[in-house]
Amino acid sequence: MEELKDNLIRDVTHELKTPVAKIEMAIDMFERSLKTGNEGVSKRGSQVHEILRNNIGRLKNSIKNILDISKLESGMELLKISLFSVDDVVKQIVREMVAAATVKGNAITILLPTGLPMIRADRDKIYQVVAHLIDNAIKFTEQGKINISARALPDALEVTVEDTGRGLDEETKIRVFEKFYKETSSAYGSGIGLAICKNIVQIHKGKIWVESQGKGMGSRFKFTLPLAENR
Ligand SMILES: Nc1ncnc2c1ncn2[C@@H]1O[C@H](COP(=O)(O)OP(=O)(O)OP(=O)(O)O)[C@@H](O)[C@H]1O
Ligand SMILES: [Mg+2]
C-alpha cells in the first residue's frame, strides 16, 4: 500500500514537473535571446511561444484529470442527466479532433447506423469518455485508421473506438483502466484518462472494455450505456 502510494506520488510529480521544466526552459531561452539583441528574437519568440503553449496545455490537462478522478472517486459527483443523441456527440468530437488526427497521418471515420436510440445520461461526461478514447487512439496510432461506430443492443447502446495503432499485449489489456497505469512511462500523459472513462461509464451502470489481438495489431475500446425503459 505504502509502495503504491509512493509510486503514485512519483508518477504524478513527474507528470507535473516535466511541463513546468519545459516552460522554464522556454523562458530562459527567450531571456537569452533578448540579451543578445534583436536578431533572431522573433524566431526564438515563436519557438518559445510553441513550447509554452504545448506545455501549459499539458499541465492544465494533467491537473484537470487529477481533479476529475478525485471528484469521481469521492462519489460526490452529481450527474446532470438529459436525453440526447450519441450521433451528435460523436460528430462534434470528431469535428474538434480531426486536425490532431491529420497531423499524425490518421484518418478518422464515423460509422453510425440511422435510427440509433437516444440515451439518458450526463452529456458532458459521455462526451469526455468518447473524446478520451479518440485522444488515445490518435496518440497511439501513426499513419493509420481510426473508426468510431455505435450500435443498439436489446438493452444498451454500444460505442466502439477502433484504431490500427500499436495495440496492447495481455498485461496491458488487463491494466489499462487502472489509475496512473501507462505501458511506457515516457509517453505523454498521466495514465488517468481510462480510469476516468471507467468511472464515468460505471456510474451510468454501463461497461467498458478493450479488445486487441496483441502488440502492433491495433485496439478496440468499447463501452455500453443501458437504455432506460421509460425513454
Ligand atoms: N488506443 C490505444 N492503443 C494502445 N495503447 C493504448 C491505447 N489507449 C490506451 N493505451 C494504453 O493504456 C495506457 C493508459 O491509458 P490512459 O488513457 O489511461 O493514460 P494516458 O493516455 O497514458 O494518459 P492520460 O490519458 O492521463 O493523458 C496508455 O498509456 C497506453 O499504454
Ligand atoms: Mg489517455
Side-chain angles (χ1 to χ4, degrees):
M1 189 62 205
E2 272 307 303
E3 191 191 336
L4 209 70
K5 223 161 102 191
D6 287 348
N7 286 344
L8 202 139
I9 292 169
R10 191 199 58 215
D11 290 348
V12 175
T13 314
H14 172 79
E15 195 50 36
L16 300 179
K17 264 175 145 173
T18 311
V20 171
K22 291 202 171 142
I23 290 165
E24 268 187 320
M25 186 192 77
I27 294 170
D28 285 348
M29 259 165 76
F30 191 61
E31 280 174 3
R32 272 201 303 277
S33 72
L34 281 179
K35 280 187 198 134
T36 55
N38 268 340
E39 208 181 318
V41 170
S42 81
K43 190 169 158 240
R44 266 293 150 86
S46 62
Q47 272 176 356
V48 167
H49 177 252
E50 198 187 328
I51 301 176
L52 290 176
R53 247 270 153 270
N54 288 342
N55 286 284
I56 294 278
R58 184 171 165 181
L59 204 52
K60 274 170 67 181
N61 201 37
S62 297
I63 292 169
K64 182 177 182 301
N65 277 346
I66 293 168
L67 289 175
D68 278 359
I69 192 86
S70 37
K71 266 196 279 179
L72 284 164
E73 284 183 342
S74 74
M76 306 294 280
E77 186 91 280
L78 294 176
L79 295 180
K80 296 190 206 78
I81 304 293
S82 66
L83 187 66
F84 61 91
S85 125
V86 168
D87 289 42
D88 295 342
V89 175
V90 169
K91 286 176 187 154
Q92 185 189 344
I93 297 170
V94 170
R95 267 199 306 277
E96 288 167 9
M97 299 184 83
V98 73
T102 312
V103 167
K104 295 199 71 192
N106 292 323
I108 301 194
T109 43
I110 307 178
L111 266 167
L112 299 168
T114 51
L116 277 179
M118 308 261 275
I119 53 165
R120 233 176 245 291
D122 185 319
R123 192 184 192 278
D124 290 346
K125 296 223 157 18
I126 300 307
Y127 180 101
Q128 219 183 329
V129 173
V130 177
H132 197 81
L133 295 179
I134 300 177
D135 178 66
N136 279 349
I138 296 173
K139 182 157 70 172
F140 299 110
T141 307
E142 325 287 328
Q143 309 287 332
K145 293 198 184 79
I146 296 162
N147 287 329
I148 302 129
S149 57
R151 62 175 178 151
L153 302 175
D155 54 359
L157 186 82
E158 184 189 76
V159 180
T160 304
V161 176
E162 193 173 355
D163 65 60
T164 57
R166 80 173 191 200
L168 298 100
D169 58 26
E170 288 304 313
E171 197 210 336
T172 312
K173 259 195 293 193
I174 297 167
R175 302 196 56 194
V176 274
F177 296 101
E178 275 174 32
K179 206 170 24 168
F180 301 113
Y181 177 80
K182 299 197 321 179
E183 193 201 347
T184 40
S185 61
S186 60
Y188 158 88
S190 30
I192 309 186
L194 288 175
I196 293 177
C197 293
K198 184 175 176 187
N199 237 301
I200 293 176
V201 170
Q202 282 180 340
I203 52 179
H204 282 90
K205 303 193 167 45
K207 292 195 176 70
I208 185 164
W209 69 99
V210 59
E211 298 167 0
S212 174
Q213 306 296 341
K215 269 248 113 77
M217 308 289 282
S219 62
R220 198 181 296 129
F221 283 84
K222 285 175 175 270
F223 72 91
T224 57
L225 293 169
L227 295 170
E229 275 156 32
N230 59 344
R231 266 180 292 134

